Protein backbone atom coordinates (compact mmCIF):
# COMPACT_ATOMS: atom_id res chain seq x y z
CA UNK A 1 0.00 0.00 0.00
CA UNK A 2 1.41 3.40 -0.94
CA UNK A 3 1.95 6.02 1.71
CA UNK A 4 -0.45 8.34 -0.10
CA UNK A 5 -3.24 5.75 -0.07
CA UNK A 6 -2.58 4.96 3.56
CA UNK A 7 -2.20 8.58 4.64
CA UNK A 8 -5.51 8.79 6.45
CA UNK A 9 -4.83 5.58 8.30
CA UNK A 10 -1.31 6.46 9.45
CA UNK A 11 -2.37 9.97 10.41
CA UNK A 12 -4.93 8.49 12.81
CA UNK A 13 -2.30 6.09 14.17
CA UNK A 14 0.16 8.95 14.63
CA UNK A 15 -2.44 11.02 16.49
CA UNK A 16 -3.16 8.01 18.69
CA UNK A 17 0.52 7.81 19.65
CA UNK A 18 0.68 11.56 20.28
CA UNK A 19 -2.41 11.35 22.48
CA UNK A 20 -0.83 8.65 24.63
CA UNK A 21 2.23 10.85 25.09
CA UNK A 22 0.14 13.88 26.10
CA UNK A 23 -1.67 11.86 28.79
CA UNK A 24 1.64 11.40 30.61
CA UNK A 25 2.94 14.83 29.75
CA UNK A 26 1.80 16.82 32.76
CA UNK A 27 3.70 14.91 35.39
CA UNK A 28 7.01 14.67 33.57
CA UNK A 29 6.90 18.35 32.57
CA UNK A 30 6.72 19.18 36.26
CA UNK A 31 9.65 16.86 36.85
CA UNK A 32 11.63 18.43 34.05
CA UNK A 33 10.94 21.89 35.45
CA UNK A 34 12.27 20.70 38.80
CA UNK A 35 15.46 19.42 37.17
CA UNK A 36 15.72 22.69 35.28
CA UNK A 37 15.62 24.53 38.59
CA UNK A 38 18.27 22.19 39.96
CA UNK A 39 20.53 22.95 37.01
CA UNK A 40 19.91 26.66 37.41
CA UNK A 41 20.85 26.47 41.08
CA UNK A 42 24.12 24.74 40.25
CA UNK A 43 24.95 27.35 37.63
CA UNK A 44 24.08 30.21 39.96
CA UNK A 45 26.44 28.80 42.54
CA UNK A 46 29.33 28.25 40.13
CA UNK A 47 28.92 30.56 37.15
CA UNK A 48 26.69 33.44 38.12
CA UNK A 49 23.17 34.00 36.82
CA UNK A 50 22.41 31.61 33.93
CA UNK A 51 20.86 32.81 30.74
CA UNK A 52 17.16 31.89 30.59
CA UNK A 53 16.56 28.55 28.86
CA UNK A 54 20.28 28.09 28.34
CA UNK A 55 21.44 24.59 27.53
CA UNK A 56 23.21 23.40 30.70
CA UNK A 57 25.56 21.41 28.51
CA UNK A 58 27.21 24.64 27.40
CA UNK A 59 28.06 25.60 30.99
CA UNK A 60 29.07 22.28 32.56
CA UNK A 61 32.28 22.69 34.57
CA UNK A 62 35.26 20.48 33.83
CA UNK A 63 36.34 17.79 36.24
CA UNK A 64 38.72 19.39 38.74
CA UNK A 65 40.80 16.21 38.91
CA UNK A 66 41.92 16.14 35.27
CA UNK A 67 44.03 18.55 33.21
CA UNK A 68 41.65 20.33 30.87
CA UNK A 69 43.72 19.72 27.73
CA UNK A 70 44.75 16.15 28.47
CA UNK A 71 42.23 13.88 26.77
CA UNK A 72 42.14 10.13 27.31
CA UNK A 73 40.64 8.06 24.50
CA UNK A 74 37.64 6.08 25.73
CA UNK A 75 34.94 3.98 24.06
CA UNK A 76 31.19 3.74 24.71
CA UNK A 77 29.51 0.67 23.21
CA UNK A 78 25.79 1.03 22.50
CA UNK A 79 23.41 -1.90 22.92
CA UNK A 80 21.47 -1.05 19.75
CA UNK A 81 21.52 1.17 16.70
CA UNK A 82 21.54 4.87 17.69
CA UNK A 83 18.07 5.98 18.77
CA UNK A 84 16.44 8.40 21.20
CA UNK A 85 17.29 6.16 24.16
CA UNK A 86 20.94 7.06 23.52
CA UNK A 87 20.25 10.78 23.08
CA UNK A 88 21.87 11.98 26.29
CA UNK A 89 25.19 10.35 25.47
CA UNK A 90 25.25 11.85 21.97
CA UNK A 91 24.29 15.25 23.38
CA UNK A 92 27.16 15.10 25.86
CA UNK A 93 29.60 14.17 23.10
CA UNK A 94 28.66 16.80 20.53
CA UNK A 95 28.50 19.52 23.21
CA UNK A 96 32.02 18.65 24.35
CA UNK A 97 31.03 17.56 27.86
CA UNK A 98 33.20 14.46 27.84
CA UNK A 99 36.15 16.51 26.58
CA UNK A 100 35.67 18.94 29.49
CA UNK A 101 36.17 15.97 31.77
CA UNK A 102 39.31 14.83 29.98
CA UNK A 103 37.68 12.17 27.80
CA UNK A 104 37.95 11.77 24.03
CA UNK A 105 34.93 9.51 23.61
CA UNK A 106 34.14 7.29 20.62
CA UNK A 107 30.54 6.04 20.56
CA UNK A 108 30.29 2.62 18.91
CA UNK A 109 27.00 1.56 17.35
CA UNK A 110 25.40 -1.72 18.40
CA UNK A 111 22.82 -4.04 16.91
CA UNK A 112 21.15 -7.45 17.37
CA UNK A 113 23.26 -9.75 19.49
CA UNK A 114 25.88 -7.15 20.39
CA UNK A 115 27.61 -8.52 23.56
CA UNK A 116 28.18 -5.14 25.17
CA UNK A 117 28.31 -6.51 28.71
CA UNK A 118 31.06 -8.98 27.76
CA UNK A 119 33.04 -6.38 25.81
CA UNK A 120 32.98 -3.99 28.77
CA UNK A 121 33.42 -6.53 31.54
CA UNK A 122 36.51 -7.99 29.87
CA UNK A 123 37.99 -4.57 29.15
CA UNK A 124 37.72 -4.58 25.34
CA UNK A 125 35.44 -1.55 25.63
CA UNK A 126 35.66 1.07 28.37
CA UNK A 127 31.98 1.85 28.88
CA UNK A 128 28.73 0.46 27.54
CA UNK A 129 24.94 0.61 27.65
CA UNK A 130 23.33 -2.45 29.25
CA UNK A 131 19.99 -3.09 30.96
CA UNK A 132 20.02 -4.00 34.64
CA UNK A 133 18.71 -7.53 34.12
CA UNK A 134 21.56 -8.21 31.73
CA UNK A 135 24.05 -6.79 34.22
CA UNK A 136 22.90 -9.29 36.85
CA UNK A 137 22.86 -12.25 34.48
CA UNK A 138 26.35 -11.33 33.25
CA UNK A 139 27.73 -10.95 36.76
CA UNK A 140 26.22 -14.33 37.66
CA UNK A 141 28.51 -15.76 34.97
CA UNK A 142 31.53 -14.12 36.55
CA UNK A 143 31.89 -11.05 34.30
CA UNK A 144 32.64 -8.01 36.53
CA UNK A 145 30.48 -5.32 34.91
CA UNK A 146 29.09 -2.52 37.12
CA UNK A 147 26.16 -0.11 36.64
CA UNK A 148 26.97 3.60 37.04
CA UNK A 149 23.97 5.63 35.85
CA UNK A 150 20.38 4.61 35.07
CA UNK A 151 18.61 7.16 32.85
CA UNK A 152 15.43 5.06 32.59
CA UNK A 153 13.73 4.74 35.97
CA UNK A 154 10.81 3.07 34.19
CA UNK A 155 11.64 0.41 31.64
CA UNK A 156 10.38 1.24 28.13
CA UNK A 157 10.22 -2.49 27.31
CA UNK A 158 6.86 -3.57 25.94
CA UNK A 159 5.07 -6.23 23.96
CA UNK A 160 3.25 -4.94 20.88
CA UNK A 161 0.13 -6.39 19.28
CA UNK A 162 -2.21 -5.09 16.62
CA UNK A 163 -5.11 -3.03 17.87
CA UNK A 164 -7.46 -5.64 16.39
CA UNK A 165 -5.83 -8.40 18.46
CA UNK A 166 -7.85 -9.96 21.30
CA UNK A 167 -4.74 -9.61 23.47
CA UNK A 168 -5.41 -6.81 25.94
CA UNK A 169 -3.37 -8.02 28.92
CA UNK A 170 -0.41 -10.31 29.46
CA UNK A 171 -2.84 -13.02 30.58
CA UNK A 172 -4.17 -13.03 27.00
CA UNK A 173 -0.79 -13.98 25.51
CA UNK A 174 -1.80 -17.47 24.39
CA UNK A 175 -1.83 -19.53 21.19
CA UNK A 176 0.03 -17.03 19.08
CA UNK A 177 3.47 -16.09 17.79
CA UNK A 178 5.78 -13.96 19.95
CA UNK A 179 8.72 -12.38 18.15
CA UNK A 180 11.28 -11.90 20.90
CA UNK A 181 14.74 -12.97 21.95
CA UNK A 182 14.08 -16.14 23.99
CA UNK A 183 17.34 -15.68 25.91
CA UNK A 184 16.27 -12.30 27.28
CA UNK A 185 15.37 -12.32 30.98
CA UNK A 186 12.07 -10.52 30.31
CA UNK A 187 10.93 -13.45 28.15
CA UNK A 188 11.75 -15.91 30.93
CA UNK A 189 9.84 -13.63 33.33
CA UNK A 190 6.77 -13.73 31.08
CA UNK A 191 6.97 -17.50 30.73
CA UNK A 192 7.27 -17.92 34.49
CA UNK A 193 4.49 -15.50 35.45
CA UNK A 194 1.98 -15.99 32.64
CA UNK A 195 2.77 -19.42 31.19
CA UNK A 196 2.51 -18.28 27.54
CA UNK A 197 0.38 -21.32 26.73
CA UNK A 198 0.58 -22.26 23.06
CA UNK A 199 2.94 -19.36 22.29
CA UNK A 200 5.57 -19.98 19.64
CA UNK A 201 8.62 -17.79 20.17
CA UNK A 202 10.48 -16.65 17.05
CA UNK A 203 13.86 -14.95 17.63
CA UNK A 204 13.78 -11.18 17.21
CA UNK A 205 16.59 -10.05 14.92
CA UNK A 206 15.71 -6.38 14.55
CA UNK A 207 13.11 -4.77 12.31
CA UNK A 208 9.36 -5.30 12.15
CA UNK A 209 8.93 -7.18 8.87
CA UNK A 210 8.27 -10.50 10.58
CA UNK A 211 5.59 -8.96 12.78
CA UNK A 212 3.91 -7.23 9.84
CA UNK A 213 3.91 -10.45 7.80
CA UNK A 214 2.68 -12.74 10.58
CA UNK A 215 -0.95 -13.09 11.60
CA UNK A 216 -1.84 -13.32 15.28
CA UNK A 217 1.59 -12.10 16.35
CA UNK A 218 3.20 -10.01 19.07
CA UNK A 219 6.65 -8.45 19.04
CA UNK A 220 9.06 -7.05 21.61
CA UNK A 221 9.85 -3.35 21.52
CA UNK A 222 10.45 -0.11 23.38
CA UNK A 223 7.44 2.10 24.02
CA UNK A 224 9.20 5.13 22.55
CA UNK A 225 10.40 3.43 19.37
CA UNK A 226 8.69 0.50 17.62
CA UNK A 227 5.09 1.65 18.25
CA UNK A 228 6.00 4.99 16.64
CA UNK A 229 7.59 3.26 13.67
CA UNK A 230 4.44 1.20 13.21
CA UNK A 231 2.23 4.28 13.57
CA UNK A 232 4.25 6.02 10.87
CA UNK A 233 3.56 3.03 8.61
CA UNK A 234 -0.16 3.18 9.26
CA UNK A 235 -0.39 0.32 11.73
CA UNK A 236 -2.60 0.79 14.76
CA UNK A 237 -1.19 -1.16 17.69
CA UNK A 238 -1.60 -1.79 21.39
CA UNK A 239 1.30 -1.98 23.83
CA UNK A 240 1.67 -3.99 27.03
CA UNK A 241 4.24 -2.49 29.38
CA UNK A 242 6.59 -4.91 31.17
CA UNK A 243 6.96 -2.34 33.94
CA UNK A 244 3.24 -2.46 34.72
CA UNK A 245 3.50 -6.26 34.82
CA UNK A 246 6.04 -5.89 37.61
CA UNK A 247 9.24 -6.37 35.61
CA UNK A 248 10.95 -3.01 35.72
CA UNK A 249 14.75 -3.19 35.45
CA UNK A 250 16.75 -0.01 35.11
CA UNK A 251 17.27 0.49 31.38
CA UNK A 252 20.07 1.82 29.18
CA UNK A 253 22.38 1.75 32.21
CA UNK A 254 25.84 3.20 31.74
CA UNK A 255 28.29 0.47 32.76
CA UNK A 256 32.00 -0.11 33.13
CA UNK A 257 34.25 -2.78 34.59
CA UNK A 258 35.37 -3.18 38.18
CA UNK A 259 38.93 -2.72 36.95
CA UNK A 260 38.12 0.65 35.34
CA UNK A 261 36.59 1.89 38.59
CA UNK A 262 39.58 0.76 40.61
CA UNK A 263 42.24 2.13 38.27
CA UNK A 264 40.60 5.27 36.79
CA UNK A 265 38.00 6.64 39.23
CA UNK A 266 38.47 10.23 37.99
CA UNK A 267 37.67 9.23 34.42
CA UNK A 268 34.67 7.23 35.57
CA UNK A 269 33.38 10.22 37.53
CA UNK A 270 33.86 12.48 34.53
CA UNK A 271 32.04 10.03 32.27
CA UNK A 272 29.10 9.76 34.66
CA UNK A 273 28.72 13.46 35.34
CA UNK A 274 29.05 14.46 31.70
CA UNK A 275 26.39 11.87 30.86
CA UNK A 276 24.07 13.20 33.57
CA UNK A 277 24.29 16.73 32.18
CA UNK A 278 24.00 15.39 28.65
CA UNK A 279 20.75 13.64 29.46
CA UNK A 280 19.18 16.58 31.25
CA UNK A 281 20.17 18.79 28.34
CA UNK A 282 18.84 16.35 25.77
CA UNK A 283 15.43 16.25 27.44
CA UNK A 284 15.28 20.05 27.11
CA UNK A 285 17.06 20.46 23.76
CA UNK A 286 16.97 17.19 21.76
CA UNK A 287 17.49 18.66 18.27
CA UNK A 288 21.33 18.74 18.10
CA UNK A 289 21.76 15.15 19.27
CA UNK A 290 18.85 13.98 17.09
CA UNK A 291 20.68 15.31 14.05
CA UNK A 292 23.77 13.34 15.00
CA UNK A 293 21.70 10.21 15.70
CA UNK A 294 20.17 10.43 12.24
CA UNK A 295 23.62 10.87 10.76
CA UNK A 296 24.72 7.69 12.49
CA UNK A 297 21.47 5.81 11.81
CA UNK A 298 20.02 6.90 8.49
CA UNK A 299 17.12 4.44 8.73
CA UNK A 300 15.42 6.18 11.64
CA UNK A 301 12.76 8.64 10.50
CA UNK A 302 12.57 12.18 11.85
CA UNK A 303 9.06 11.79 13.27
CA UNK A 304 9.98 8.59 15.10
CA UNK A 305 13.10 10.16 16.60
CA UNK A 306 11.41 13.40 17.65
CA UNK A 307 8.35 11.70 19.15
CA UNK A 308 10.55 9.09 20.80
CA UNK A 309 12.57 11.83 22.51
CA UNK A 310 9.39 13.50 23.75
CA UNK A 311 8.29 10.28 25.44
CA UNK A 312 11.45 9.92 27.52
CA UNK A 313 10.51 12.36 30.28
CA UNK A 314 7.90 10.19 32.07
CA UNK A 315 10.31 7.26 31.97
CA UNK A 316 13.29 9.16 33.39
CA UNK A 317 12.16 12.00 35.65
CA UNK A 318 10.19 9.86 38.07
CA UNK A 319 10.54 7.52 41.03
CA UNK A 320 13.78 7.79 42.99
CA UNK A 321 15.16 10.29 40.46
CA UNK A 322 12.53 12.80 41.63
CA UNK A 323 14.13 12.91 45.06
CA UNK A 324 17.78 12.17 44.33
CA UNK A 325 20.29 12.57 41.51
CA UNK A 326 19.34 11.99 37.89
CA UNK A 327 20.08 8.36 37.03
CA UNK A 328 20.17 7.19 40.64
CA UNK A 329 19.67 3.55 41.63
CA UNK A 330 18.67 1.80 44.86
CA UNK A 331 19.69 -1.53 46.36
CA UNK A 332 16.02 -2.30 47.03
CA UNK A 333 15.16 -2.29 43.33
CA UNK A 334 18.27 -4.24 42.39
CA UNK A 335 17.47 -6.85 45.04
CA UNK A 336 13.89 -7.21 43.79
CA UNK A 337 15.12 -7.67 40.24
CA UNK A 338 17.66 -10.27 41.35
CA UNK A 339 14.91 -12.21 43.15
CA UNK A 340 12.71 -12.12 40.04
CA UNK A 341 15.53 -13.40 37.83
CA UNK A 342 16.31 -16.24 40.21
CA UNK A 343 12.62 -17.16 40.48
CA UNK A 344 12.14 -17.39 36.72
CA UNK A 345 15.38 -19.28 36.15
CA UNK A 346 17.18 -16.50 34.30
CA UNK A 347 20.10 -16.66 36.73
CA UNK A 348 21.32 -18.84 39.57
CA UNK A 349 21.76 -17.50 43.07
CA UNK A 350 25.46 -16.73 43.28
CA UNK A 351 25.27 -15.69 46.92
CA UNK A 352 27.05 -12.44 46.08
CA UNK A 353 25.57 -9.17 47.41
CA UNK A 354 23.57 -7.28 44.81
CA UNK A 355 25.22 -4.06 45.97
CA UNK A 356 28.33 -5.08 43.99
CA UNK A 357 26.39 -4.81 40.71
CA UNK A 358 26.07 -1.02 40.81
CA UNK A 359 27.41 2.14 42.40
CA UNK A 360 26.03 5.65 42.80
CA UNK A 361 29.25 7.16 44.16
CA UNK A 362 30.00 9.02 40.93
CA UNK A 363 26.60 10.70 40.54
CA UNK A 364 26.40 14.44 41.02
Amino acid sequence: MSKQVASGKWTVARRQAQGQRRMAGGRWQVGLQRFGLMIAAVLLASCGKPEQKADPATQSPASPNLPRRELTKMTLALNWFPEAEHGGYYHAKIKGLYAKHGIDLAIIKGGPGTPVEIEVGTGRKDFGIVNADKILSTRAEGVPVVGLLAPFQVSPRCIIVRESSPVKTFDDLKNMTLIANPAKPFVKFLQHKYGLEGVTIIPYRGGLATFLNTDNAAVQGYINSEPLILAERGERVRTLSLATAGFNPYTSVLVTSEKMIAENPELVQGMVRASQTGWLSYLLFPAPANSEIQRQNSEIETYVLEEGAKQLGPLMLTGDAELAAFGTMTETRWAKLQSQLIACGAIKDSGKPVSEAFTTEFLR
Side-chain angles (χ1 to χ4, degrees), residues 38 79 103 110 139 149 165 170 173 202 252 261 295 301 312 355:
M38 179 188 72
N79 55 343
I103 298 171
R139 289 187 62 88
L149 165 72
S165 170
F170 284 105
L173 282 175
I202 297 176
S252 293
I261 292 174
R295 194 176 75 83
E301 297 185 30
L312 295 179
S355 58

Side-chain angles (χ1 to χ4, degrees), residues 36-306:
L37 291 173
M38 179 188 72
I39 293 169
V42 171
L43 295 177
L44 280 169
S46 60
C47 305
K49 185 177 179 180
E51 183 178 340
Q52 188 177 13
K53 295 185 179 180
D55 183 346
T58 64
Q59 302 183 51
S60 175
S63 171
N65 299 314
L66 290 170
R68 191 175 184 86
R69 295 182 181 178
E70 181 181 335
L71 299 184
T72 301
K73 291 185 179 297
M74 291 277 142
T75 51
L76 172 64
L78 302 185
N79 55 343
W80 197 246
F81 304 108
E83 293 185 338
E85 55 263 31
H86 306 120
Y89 303 111
Y90 276 103
H91 194 97
K93 177 176 172 60
I94 65 177
K95 292 294 184 178
L97 299 185
Y98 296 121
K100 289 181 180 179
H101 287 272
I103 298 171
D104 179 8
L105 187 70
I107 299 180
I108 302 170
K109 294 182 282 188
T114 303
V116 175
E117 62 283 352
I118 303 299
E119 292 284 296
V120 174
T122 56
R124 289 192 289 269
K125 298 293 186 295
D126 301 303
F127 298 92
I129 307 301
V130 182
N131 294 345
D133 50 345
K134 195 65 175 178
I135 293 173
L136 291 180
S137 64
T138 302
R139 289 187 62 88
E141 297 172 359
V143 181
V145 66
V146 180
L148 302 169
L149 165 72
F152 284 89
Q153 298 293 303
V154 178
S155 172
R157 179 77 70 185
C158 65
I159 299 298
I160 306 165
V161 298
R162 292 178 175 85
E163 193 178 69
S164 58
S165 170
V167 175
K168 292 181 171 59
T169 70
F170 284 105
D171 289 308
D172 300 327
L173 282 175
K174 299 177 181 179
N175 303 311
M176 64 187 308
T177 298
L178 173 60
I179 305 160
N181 186 337
K184 291 285 188 181
F186 80 86
V187 175
K188 296 183 183 297
F189 169 84
L190 291 176
Q191 291 173 319
H192 176 74
K193 183 171 183 178
Y194 297 102
L196 303 188
E197 177 185 344
V199 173
T200 300
I201 300 177
I202 297 176
Y204 177 78
R205 305 188 188 282
L208 294 163
T210 303
F211 173 71
L212 292 171
N213 294 323
T214 305
D215 295 331
N216 194 27
V219 63
Q220 70 177 56
Y222 273 13
I223 194 72
N224 65 309
S225 181
E226 283 79 7
L228 298 174
I229 295 172
L230 290 165
E232 182 74 353
R233 297 179 182 180
E235 297 290 333
R236 301 193 66 171
V237 298
R238 180 182 301 115
T239 59
L240 307 178
S241 166
L242 267 294
T244 61
F247 191 72
N248 187 29
Y250 294 116
T251 302
S252 293
V253 179
L254 178 66
V255 300
T256 193
S257 64
E258 292 180 358
K259 182 179 180 181
M260 177 67 76
I261 292 174
E263 296 181 356
N264 299 285
E266 296 88 358
L267 285 173
V268 174
Q269 177 175 290
M271 183 72 185
V272 170
R273 295 192 174 182
S275 298
Q276 280 184 290
T277 304
W279 268 115
L280 290 169
S281 300
Y282 179 72
L283 293 176
L284 290 167
F285 306 98
N290 283 352
S291 295
E292 179 62 17
I293 289 171
Q294 281 194 298
R295 194 176 75 83
Q296 298 293 333
N297 180 9
S298 60
E299 294 188 3
I300 191 168
E301 297 185 30
T302 300
Y303 163 75
V304 173
L305 185 55
E306 291 179 349

